[in-house]
Amino acid sequence: MNAHRAQPEKSPDCLANELDGLVDLGSRKEVTKLTREILRHPRPTGAALWQAVRAIGTMDAPRRWRSDVEAAFARMTKREQRRAREAMLNYYYMIWEPELALPFCALRNLRTPSELMFAMDVYLHLNKLSDAKKLARK
């Protein structure tokens, strides 16, 4: 009798490493498949979400992934959500949803040049000039 054995589920970070290589190679079908797998993983990580968002940025319709990205973020532990904050800021900026990006623009959490640039753009677009001034000082 041929018993079908279920393959052990890959870790989200292992999937993210695979996805990283595929994005660089430009394999659209595999990129889409792995991105979906990461976003539907029961325990996604911040690093895995970052790779998924990076891959989504190479696709034709990044906005259609919104519910999957948000659901993956919601399933994360609080610790992983803190790690995924930059990925969410980048995703919402990518699909140009400044109102949704705003919660990820807390001044104390902005560390990279891209985060600072995206946050400044969000603050200016939403006419939050006092926040933009504080960010400019940073």
PDB file of all heavy atoms in Angstrom, residues 92-125:
ATOM      1  N   TYR A  92       2.436  49.397   2.371  1.00  0.00           N
ATOM      2  CA  TYR A  92       1.399  50.419   2.250  1.00  0.00           C
ATOM      3  C   TYR A  92       1.878  51.605   1.412  1.00  0.00           C
ATOM      4  O   TYR A  92       1.100  52.215   0.682  1.00  0.00           O
ATOM      5  CB  TYR A  92       0.918  50.887   3.618  1.00  0.00           C
ATOM      6  CG  TYR A  92       0.043  49.872   4.311  1.00  0.00           C
ATOM      7  CD1 TYR A  92       0.241  49.537   5.648  1.00  0.00           C
ATOM      8  CD2 TYR A  92      -0.997  49.244   3.636  1.00  0.00           C
ATOM      9  CE1 TYR A  92      -0.568  48.611   6.283  1.00  0.00           C
ATOM     10  CE2 TYR A  92      -1.816  48.318   4.264  1.00  0.00           C
ATOM     11  CZ  TYR A  92      -1.594  48.005   5.582  1.00  0.00           C
ATOM     12  OH  TYR A  92      -2.405  47.091   6.219  1.00  0.00           O
ATOM     13  N   TYR A  93       3.158  51.910   1.494  1.00  0.00           N
ATOM     14  CA  TYR A  93       3.694  52.974   0.653  1.00  0.00           C
ATOM     15  C   TYR A  93       3.657  52.536  -0.818  1.00  0.00           C
ATOM     16  O   TYR A  93       3.304  53.316  -1.695  1.00  0.00           O
ATOM     17  CB  TYR A  93       5.122  53.331   1.079  1.00  0.00           C
ATOM     18  CG  TYR A  93       5.663  54.529   0.351  1.00  0.00           C
ATOM     19  CD1 TYR A  93       5.358  55.816   0.789  1.00  0.00           C
ATOM     20  CD2 TYR A  93       6.447  54.388  -0.778  1.00  0.00           C
ATOM     21  CE1 TYR A  93       5.833  56.929   0.116  1.00  0.00           C
ATOM     22  CE2 TYR A  93       6.931  55.491  -1.460  1.00  0.00           C
ATOM     23  CZ  TYR A  93       6.621  56.768  -1.010  1.00  0.00           C
ATOM     24  OH  TYR A  93       7.093  57.859  -1.688  1.00  0.00           O
ATOM     25  N   MET A  94       4.008  51.282  -1.060  1.00  0.00           N
ATOM     26  CA  MET A  94       4.036  50.743  -2.422  1.00  0.00           C
ATOM     27  C   MET A  94       2.661  50.827  -3.084  1.00  0.00           C
ATOM     28  O   MET A  94       2.552  51.161  -4.269  1.00  0.00           O
ATOM     29  CB  MET A  94       4.487  49.272  -2.379  1.00  0.00           C
ATOM     30  CG  MET A  94       4.493  48.555  -3.696  1.00  0.00           C
ATOM     31  SD  MET A  94       4.670  46.752  -3.568  1.00  0.00           S
ATOM     32  CE  MET A  94       5.648  46.469  -2.140  1.00  0.00           C
ATOM     33  N   ILE A  95       1.605  50.533  -2.324  1.00  0.00           N
ATOM     34  CA  ILE A  95       0.258  50.571  -2.907  1.00  0.00           C
ATOM     35  C   ILE A  95      -0.396  51.944  -2.689  1.00  0.00           C
ATOM     36  O   ILE A  95      -1.568  52.122  -2.959  1.00  0.00           O
ATOM     37  CB  ILE A  95      -0.638  49.428  -2.371  1.00  0.00           C
ATOM     38  CG1 ILE A  95      -0.901  49.546  -0.865  1.00  0.00           C
ATOM     39  CG2 ILE A  95      -0.042  48.083  -2.742  1.00  0.00           C
ATOM     40  CD1 ILE A  95      -1.981  48.606  -0.349  1.00  0.00           C
ATOM     41  N   TRP A  96       0.358  52.861  -2.191  1.00  0.00           N
ATOM     42  CA  TRP A  96      -0.029  54.235  -1.886  1.00  0.00           C
ATOM     43  C   TRP A  96      -1.321  54.319  -1.087  1.00  0.00           C
ATOM     44  O   TRP A  96      -2.367  54.790  -1.537  1.00  0.00           O
ATOM     45  CB  TRP A  96      -0.088  55.110  -3.137  1.00  0.00           C
ATOM     46  CG  TRP A  96      -0.127  56.554  -2.733  1.00  0.00           C
ATOM     47  CD1 TRP A  96      -1.087  57.462  -3.041  1.00  0.00           C
ATOM     48  CD2 TRP A  96       0.797  57.249  -1.884  1.00  0.00           C
ATOM     49  NE1 TRP A  96      -0.828  58.682  -2.454  1.00  0.00           N
ATOM     50  CE2 TRP A  96       0.339  58.565  -1.725  1.00  0.00           C
ATOM     51  CE3 TRP A  96       1.966  56.890  -1.232  1.00  0.00           C
ATOM     52  CZ2 TRP A  96       1.002  59.524  -0.959  1.00  0.00           C
ATOM     53  CZ3 TRP A  96       2.629  57.838  -0.469  1.00  0.00           C
ATOM     54  CH2 TRP A  96       2.149  59.131  -0.348  1.00  0.00           C
ATOM     55  N   GLU A  97      -1.204  53.828   0.147  1.00  0.00           N
ATOM     56  CA  GLU A  97      -2.260  53.931   1.155  1.00  0.00           C
ATOM     57  C   GLU A  97      -1.663  54.654   2.364  1.00  0.00           C
ATOM     58  O   GLU A  97      -1.347  54.039   3.385  1.00  0.00           O
ATOM     59  CB  GLU A  97      -2.752  52.535   1.562  1.00  0.00           C
ATOM     60  CG  GLU A  97      -3.550  51.809   0.527  1.00  0.00           C
ATOM     61  CD  GLU A  97      -4.965  52.337   0.380  1.00  0.00           C
ATOM     62  OE1 GLU A  97      -5.409  53.157   1.198  1.00  0.00           O
ATOM     63  OE2 GLU A  97      -5.632  51.928  -0.589  1.00  0.00           O
ATOM     64  N   PRO A  98      -1.464  55.981   2.257  1.00  0.00           N
ATOM     65  CA  PRO A  98      -0.775  56.699   3.330  1.00  0.00           C
ATOM     66  C   PRO A  98      -1.476  56.629   4.686  1.00  0.00           C
ATOM     67  O   PRO A  98      -0.811  56.590   5.721  1.00  0.00           O
ATOM     68  CB  PRO A  98      -0.683  58.134   2.820  1.00  0.00           C
ATOM     69  CG  PRO A  98      -1.637  58.231   1.687  1.00  0.00           C
ATOM     70  CD  PRO A  98      -1.839  56.855   1.154  1.00  0.00           C
ATOM     71  N   GLU A  99      -2.790  56.567   4.689  1.00  0.00           N
ATOM     72  CA  GLU A  99      -3.508  56.483   5.960  1.00  0.00           C
ATOM     73  C   GLU A  99      -3.176  55.168   6.688  1.00  0.00           C
ATOM     74  O   GLU A  99      -3.091  55.133   7.901  1.00  0.00           O
ATOM     75  CB  GLU A  99      -5.028  56.598   5.759  1.00  0.00           C
ATOM     76  CG  GLU A  99      -5.479  57.933   5.201  1.00  0.00           C
ATOM     77  CD  GLU A  99      -5.362  58.015   3.677  1.00  0.00           C
ATOM     78  OE1 GLU A  99      -5.135  56.974   3.017  1.00  0.00           O
ATOM     79  OE2 GLU A  99      -5.473  59.129   3.147  1.00  0.00           O
ATOM     80  N   LEU A 100      -3.030  54.098   5.911  1.00  0.00           N
ATOM     81  CA  LEU A 100      -2.697  52.804   6.499  1.00  0.00           C
ATOM     82  C   LEU A 100      -1.217  52.717   6.865  1.00  0.00           C
ATOM     83  O   LEU A 100      -0.842  51.978   7.779  1.00  0.00           O
ATOM     84  CB  LEU A 100      -3.072  51.674   5.540  1.00  0.00           C
ATOM     85  CG  LEU A 100      -4.559  51.566   5.214  1.00  0.00           C
ATOM     86  CD1 LEU A 100      -4.802  50.520   4.134  1.00  0.00           C
ATOM     87  CD2 LEU A 100      -5.361  51.261   6.461  1.00  0.00           C
ATOM     88  N   ALA A 101      -0.382  53.466   6.167  1.00  0.00           N
ATOM     89  CA  ALA A 101       1.055  53.478   6.462  1.00  0.00           C
ATOM     90  C   ALA A 101       1.355  54.284   7.727  1.00  0.00           C
ATOM     91  O   ALA A 101       2.346  54.006   8.418  1.00  0.00           O
ATOM     92  CB  ALA A 101       1.825  54.063   5.286  1.00  0.00           C
ATOM     93  N   LEU A 102       0.511  55.234   8.054  1.00  0.00           N
ATOM     94  CA  LEU A 102       0.761  56.152   9.165  1.00  0.00           C
ATOM     95  C   LEU A 102       1.090  55.465  10.499  1.00  0.00           C
ATOM     96  O   LEU A 102       2.036  55.861  11.171  1.00  0.00           O
ATOM     97  CB  LEU A 102      -0.411  57.119   9.319  1.00  0.00           C
ATOM     98  CG  LEU A 102      -0.200  58.287  10.265  1.00  0.00           C
ATOM     99  CD1 LEU A 102       0.983  59.141   9.822  1.00  0.00           C
ATOM    100  CD2 LEU A 102      -1.459  59.127  10.332  1.00  0.00           C
ATOM    101  N   PRO A 103       0.364  54.413  10.908  1.00  0.00           N
ATOM    102  CA  PRO A 103       0.700  53.778  12.187  1.00  0.00           C
ATOM    103  C   PRO A 103       2.111  53.174  12.222  1.00  0.00           C
ATOM    104  O   PRO A 103       2.658  52.940  13.295  1.00  0.00           O
ATOM    105  CB  PRO A 103      -0.351  52.670  12.345  1.00  0.00           C
ATOM    106  CG  PRO A 103      -1.465  53.060  11.444  1.00  0.00           C
ATOM    107  CD  PRO A 103      -0.851  53.847  10.329  1.00  0.00           C
ATOM    108  N   PHE A 104       2.710  52.958  11.067  1.00  0.00           N
ATOM    109  CA  PHE A 104       4.043  52.377  10.993  1.00  0.00           C
ATOM    110  C   PHE A 104       5.123  53.450  10.859  1.00  0.00           C
ATOM    111  O   PHE A 104       6.280  53.142  10.610  1.00  0.00           O
ATOM    112  CB  PHE A 104       4.117  51.382   9.829  1.00  0.00           C
ATOM    113  CG  PHE A 104       3.138  50.257   9.976  1.00  0.00           C
ATOM    114  CD1 PHE A 104       1.927  50.277   9.305  1.00  0.00           C
ATOM    115  CD2 PHE A 104       3.410  49.201  10.828  1.00  0.00           C
ATOM    116  CE1 PHE A 104       1.010  49.240   9.463  1.00  0.00           C
ATOM    117  CE2 PHE A 104       2.499  48.173  10.999  1.00  0.00           C
ATOM    118  CZ  PHE A 104       1.297  48.194  10.313  1.00  0.00           C
ATOM    119  N   CYS A 105       4.728  54.715  11.039  1.00  0.00           N
ATOM    120  CA  CYS A 105       5.651  55.850  10.894  1.00  0.00           C
ATOM    121  C   CYS A 105       6.055  56.461  12.229  1.00  0.00           C
ATOM    122  O   CYS A 105       6.476  57.619  12.260  1.00  0.00           O
ATOM    123  CB  CYS A 105       4.999  56.929  10.023  1.00  0.00           C
ATOM    124  SG  CYS A 105       4.751  56.460   8.313  1.00  0.00           S
ATOM    125  N   ALA A 106       5.935  55.738  13.318  1.00  0.00           N
ATOM    126  CA  ALA A 106       6.317  56.291  14.619  1.00  0.00           C
ATOM    127  C   ALA A 106       7.795  56.667  14.595  1.00  0.00           C
ATOM    128  O   ALA A 106       8.653  55.848  14.245  1.00  0.00           O
ATOM    129  CB  ALA A 106       6.041  55.283  15.727  1.00  0.00           C
ATOM    130  N   LEU A 107       8.092  57.892  14.950  1.00  0.00           N
ATOM    131  CA  LEU A 107       9.436  58.437  14.855  1.00  0.00           C
ATOM    132  C   LEU A 107      10.484  57.568  15.550  1.00  0.00           C
ATOM    133  O   LEU A 107      11.562  57.334  15.015  1.00  0.00           O
ATOM    134  CB  LEU A 107       9.456  59.855  15.437  1.00  0.00           C
ATOM    135  CG  LEU A 107      10.741  60.637  15.274  1.00  0.00           C
ATOM    136  CD1 LEU A 107      11.093  60.810  13.808  1.00  0.00           C
ATOM    137  CD2 LEU A 107      10.623  61.988  15.947  1.00  0.00           C
ATOM    138  N   ARG A 108      10.168  57.051  16.709  1.00  0.00           N
ATOM    139  CA  ARG A 108      11.144  56.248  17.467  1.00  0.00           C
ATOM    140  C   ARG A 108      11.497  54.931  16.760  1.00  0.00           C
ATOM    141  O   ARG A 108      12.515  54.330  17.038  1.00  0.00           O
ATOM    142  CB  ARG A 108      10.633  55.969  18.872  1.00  0.00           C
ATOM    143  CG  ARG A 108       9.465  55.021  18.932  1.00  0.00           C
ATOM    144  CD  ARG A 108       8.969  54.787  20.355  1.00  0.00           C
ATOM    145  NE  ARG A 108       7.830  53.926  20.377  1.00  0.00           N
ATOM    146  CZ  ARG A 108       6.575  54.277  20.101  1.00  0.00           C
ATOM    147  NH1 ARG A 108       6.305  55.524  19.776  1.00  0.00           N
ATOM    148  NH2 ARG A 108       5.597  53.396  20.145  1.00  0.00           N
ATOM    149  N   ASN A 109      10.646  54.484  15.821  1.00  0.00           N
ATOM    150  CA  ASN A 109      10.882  53.213  15.135  1.00  0.00           C
ATOM    151  C   ASN A 109      11.551  53.353  13.775  1.00  0.00           C
ATOM    152  O   ASN A 109      11.946  52.352  13.185  1.00  0.00           O
ATOM    153  CB  ASN A 109       9.553  52.473  14.945  1.00  0.00           C
ATOM    154  CG  ASN A 109       8.928  52.082  16.263  1.00  0.00           C
ATOM    155  OD1 ASN A 109       9.630  51.799  17.223  1.00  0.00           O
ATOM    156  ND2 ASN A 109       7.617  52.094  16.306  1.00  0.00           N
ATOM    157  N   LEU A 110      11.655  54.546  13.272  1.00  0.00           N
ATOM    158  CA  LEU A 110      12.219  54.754  11.938  1.00  0.00           C
ATOM    159  C   LEU A 110      13.739  54.737  12.015  1.00  0.00           C
ATOM    160  O   LEU A 110      14.338  55.547  12.715  1.00  0.00           O
ATOM    161  CB  LEU A 110      11.722  56.076  11.349  1.00  0.00           C
ATOM    162  CG  LEU A 110      10.207  56.193  11.231  1.00  0.00           C
ATOM    163  CD1 LEU A 110       9.813  57.606  10.830  1.00  0.00           C
ATOM    164  CD2 LEU A 110       9.661  55.185  10.247  1.00  0.00           C
ATOM    165  N   ARG A 111      14.343  53.799  11.293  1.00  0.00           N
ATOM    166  CA  ARG A 111      15.791  53.637  11.411  1.00  0.00           C
ATOM    167  C   ARG A 111      16.537  53.697  10.084  1.00  0.00           C
ATOM    168  O   ARG A 111      17.676  54.115  10.038  1.00  0.00           O
ATOM    169  CB  ARG A 111      16.100  52.313  12.095  1.00  0.00           C
ATOM    170  CG  ARG A 111      15.680  52.309  13.553  1.00  0.00           C
ATOM    171  CD  ARG A 111      16.022  50.999  14.238  1.00  0.00           C
ATOM    172  NE  ARG A 111      15.588  51.019  15.617  1.00  0.00           N
ATOM    173  CZ  ARG A 111      14.371  50.711  16.033  1.00  0.00           C
ATOM    174  NH1 ARG A 111      13.458  50.341  15.169  1.00  0.00           N
ATOM    175  NH2 ARG A 111      14.052  50.762  17.307  1.00  0.00           N
ATOM    176  N   THR A 112      15.926  53.242   9.015  1.00  0.00           N
ATOM    177  CA  THR A 112      16.641  53.169   7.747  1.00  0.00           C
ATOM    178  C   THR A 112      16.304  54.392   6.882  1.00  0.00           C
ATOM    179  O   THR A 112      15.249  55.014   7.061  1.00  0.00           O
ATOM    180  CB  THR A 112      16.267  51.887   6.970  1.00  0.00           C
ATOM    181  OG1 THR A 112      14.893  51.964   6.573  1.00  0.00           O
ATOM    182  CG2 THR A 112      16.503  50.634   7.810  1.00  0.00           C
ATOM    183  N   PRO A 113      17.177  54.707   5.942  1.00  0.00           N
ATOM    184  CA  PRO A 113      16.875  55.851   5.052  1.00  0.00           C
ATOM    185  C   PRO A 113      15.557  55.694   4.304  1.00  0.00           C
ATOM    186  O   PRO A 113      14.820  56.667   4.148  1.00  0.00           O
ATOM    187  CB  PRO A 113      18.065  55.859   4.085  1.00  0.00           C
ATOM    188  CG  PRO A 113      19.184  55.232   4.859  1.00  0.00           C
ATOM    189  CD  PRO A 113      18.521  54.180   5.716  1.00  0.00           C
ATOM    190  N   SER A 114      15.245  54.477   3.861  1.00  0.00           N
ATOM    191  CA  SER A 114      13.979  54.306   3.131  1.00  0.00           C
ATOM    192  C   SER A 114      12.784  54.529   4.053  1.00  0.00           C
ATOM    193  O   SER A 114      11.793  55.134   3.644  1.00  0.00           O
ATOM    194  CB  SER A 114      13.902  52.926   2.470  1.00  0.00           C
ATOM    195  OG  SER A 114      13.862  51.899   3.425  1.00  0.00           O
ATOM    196  N   GLU A 115      12.869  54.066   5.294  1.00  0.00           N
ATOM    197  CA  GLU A 115      11.773  54.310   6.243  1.00  0.00           C
ATOM    198  C   GLU A 115      11.593  55.806   6.476  1.00  0.00           C
ATOM    199  O   GLU A 115      10.459  56.301   6.503  1.00  0.00           O
ATOM    200  CB  GLU A 115      12.060  53.643   7.592  1.00  0.00           C
ATOM    201  CG  GLU A 115      11.913  52.159   7.629  1.00  0.00           C
ATOM    202  CD  GLU A 115      12.251  51.613   9.004  1.00  0.00           C
ATOM    203  OE1 GLU A 115      13.400  51.765   9.449  1.00  0.00           O
ATOM    204  OE2 GLU A 115      11.347  51.042   9.627  1.00  0.00           O
ATOM    205  N   LEU A 116      12.691  56.511   6.647  1.00  0.00           N
ATOM    206  CA  LEU A 116      12.615  57.957   6.875  1.00  0.00           C
ATOM    207  C   LEU A 116      11.998  58.669   5.671  1.00  0.00           C
ATOM    208  O   LEU A 116      11.143  59.541   5.825  1.00  0.00           O
ATOM    209  CB  LEU A 116      14.008  58.514   7.172  1.00  0.00           C
ATOM    210  CG  LEU A 116      14.633  58.038   8.484  1.00  0.00           C
ATOM    211  CD1 LEU A 116      16.110  58.398   8.527  1.00  0.00           C
ATOM    212  CD2 LEU A 116      13.901  58.602   9.683  1.00  0.00           C
ATOM    213  N   MET A 117      12.408  58.269   4.483  1.00  0.00           N
ATOM    214  CA  MET A 117      11.880  58.892   3.266  1.00  0.00           C
ATOM    215  C   MET A 117      10.384  58.603   3.102  1.00  0.00           C
ATOM    216  O   MET A 117       9.598  59.508   2.837  1.00  0.00           O
ATOM    217  CB  MET A 117      12.642  58.381   2.048  1.00  0.00           C
ATOM    218  CG  MET A 117      12.160  58.982   0.745  1.00  0.00           C
ATOM    219  SD  MET A 117      12.863  58.181  -0.704  1.00  0.00           S
ATOM    220  CE  MET A 117      12.062  56.597  -0.648  1.00  0.00           C
ATOM    221  N   PHE A 118       9.997  57.327   3.276  1.00  0.00           N
ATOM    222  CA  PHE A 118       8.587  56.966   3.130  1.00  0.00           C
ATOM    223  C   PHE A 118       7.741  57.691   4.170  1.00  0.00           C
ATOM    224  O   PHE A 118       6.668  58.205   3.865  1.00  0.00           O
ATOM    225  CB  PHE A 118       8.383  55.461   3.264  1.00  0.00           C
ATOM    226  CG  PHE A 118       8.993  54.645   2.150  1.00  0.00           C
ATOM    227  CD1 PHE A 118       9.212  53.292   2.326  1.00  0.00           C
ATOM    228  CD2 PHE A 118       9.341  55.200   0.939  1.00  0.00           C
ATOM    229  CE1 PHE A 118       9.765  52.517   1.319  1.00  0.00           C
ATOM    230  CE2 PHE A 118       9.902  54.446  -0.085  1.00  0.00           C
ATOM    231  CZ  PHE A 118      10.113  53.094   0.107  1.00  0.00           C
ATOM    232  N   ALA A 119       8.215  57.712   5.413  1.00  0.00           N
ATOM    233  CA  ALA A 119       7.464  58.372   6.484  1.00  0.00           C
ATOM    234  C   ALA A 119       7.309  59.864   6.192  1.00  0.00           C
ATOM    235  O   ALA A 119       6.223  60.429   6.388  1.00  0.00           O
ATOM    236  CB  ALA A 119       8.148  58.152   7.822  1.00  0.00           C
ATOM    237  N   MET A 120       8.377  60.508   5.724  1.00  0.00           N
ATOM    238  CA  MET A 120       8.294  61.941   5.406  1.00  0.00           C
ATOM    239  C   MET A 120       7.253  62.163   4.314  1.00  0.00           C
ATOM    240  O   MET A 120       6.423  63.079   4.408  1.00  0.00           O
ATOM    241  CB  MET A 120       9.656  62.462   4.957  1.00  0.00           C
ATOM    242  CG  MET A 120       9.642  63.940   4.596  1.00  0.00           C
ATOM    243  SD  MET A 120       9.196  65.027   5.973  1.00  0.00           S
ATOM    244  CE  MET A 120      10.761  65.113   6.817  1.00  0.00           C
ATOM    245  N   ASP A 121       7.259  61.340   3.306  1.00  0.00           N
ATOM    246  CA  ASP A 121       6.288  61.464   2.220  1.00  0.00           C
ATOM    247  C   ASP A 121       4.864  61.276   2.741  1.00  0.00           C
ATOM    248  O   ASP A 121       3.948  62.022   2.369  1.00  0.00           O
ATOM    249  CB  ASP A 121       6.603  60.450   1.124  1.00  0.00           C
ATOM    250  CG  ASP A 121       6.101  60.879  -0.240  1.00  0.00           C
ATOM    251  OD1 ASP A 121       5.792  62.066  -0.432  1.00  0.00           O
ATOM    252  OD2 ASP A 121       6.024  60.009  -1.126  1.00  0.00           O
ATOM    253  N   VAL A 122       4.678  60.297   3.611  1.00  0.00           N
ATOM    254  CA  VAL A 122       3.357  60.046   4.200  1.00  0.00           C
ATOM    255  C   VAL A 122       2.911  61.252   5.031  1.00  0.00           C
ATOM    256  O   VAL A 122       1.784  61.741   4.888  1.00  0.00           O
ATOM    257  CB  VAL A 122       3.370  58.756   5.063  1.00  0.00           C
ATOM    258  CG1 VAL A 122       2.129  58.654   5.937  1.00  0.00           C
ATOM    259  CG2 VAL A 122       3.493  57.529   4.171  1.00  0.00           C
ATOM    260  N   TYR A 123       3.806  61.769   5.904  1.00  0.00           N
ATOM    261  CA  TYR A 123       3.452  62.923   6.733  1.00  0.00           C
ATOM    262  C   TYR A 123       3.089  64.140   5.881  1.00  0.00           C
ATOM    263  O   TYR A 123       2.107  64.828   6.161  1.00  0.00           O
ATOM    264  CB  TYR A 123       4.606  63.298   7.667  1.00  0.00           C
ATOM    265  CG  TYR A 123       4.800  62.361   8.838  1.00  0.00           C
ATOM    266  CD1 TYR A 123       6.077  62.104   9.323  1.00  0.00           C
ATOM    267  CD2 TYR A 123       3.728  61.757   9.475  1.00  0.00           C
ATOM    268  CE1 TYR A 123       6.283  61.262  10.402  1.00  0.00           C
ATOM    269  CE2 TYR A 123       3.920  60.910  10.552  1.00  0.00           C
ATOM    270  CZ  TYR A 123       5.199  60.669  11.014  1.00  0.00           C
ATOM    271  OH  TYR A 123       5.383  59.836  12.089  1.00  0.00           O
ATOM    272  N   LEU A 124       3.876  64.400   4.857  1.00  0.00           N
ATOM    273  CA  LEU A 124       3.592  65.554   4.012  1.00  0.00           C
ATOM    274  C   LEU A 124       2.291  65.378   3.234  1.00  0.00           C
ATOM    275  O   LEU A 124       1.497  66.325   3.115  1.00  0.00           O
ATOM    276  CB  LEU A 124       4.763  65.808   3.058  1.00  0.00           C
ATOM    277  CG  LEU A 124       6.058  66.274   3.726  1.00  0.00           C
ATOM    278  CD1 LEU A 124       7.174  66.370   2.707  1.00  0.00           C
ATOM    279  CD2 LEU A 124       5.862  67.585   4.470  1.00  0.00           C
ATOM    280  N   HIS A 125       2.065  64.181   2.724  1.00  0.00           N
ATOM    281  CA  HIS A 125       0.831  63.922   1.981  1.00  0.00           C
ATOM    282  C   HIS A 125      -0.400  64.109   2.869  1.00  0.00           C
ATOM    283  O   HIS A 125      -1.426  64.625   2.412  1.00  0.00           O
ATOM    284  CB  HIS A 125       0.842  62.518   1.385  1.00  0.00           C
ATOM    285  CG  HIS A 125      -0.404  62.198   0.631  1.00  0.00           C
ATOM    286  ND1 HIS A 125      -0.647  62.692  -0.627  1.00  0.00           N
ATOM    287  CD2 HIS A 125      -1.497  61.460   0.967  1.00  0.00           C
ATOM    288  CE1 HIS A 125      -1.838  62.277  -1.032  1.00  0.00           C
ATOM    289  NE2 HIS A 125      -2.361  61.520  -0.090  1.00  0.00           N
TER     290      HIS A 125
END
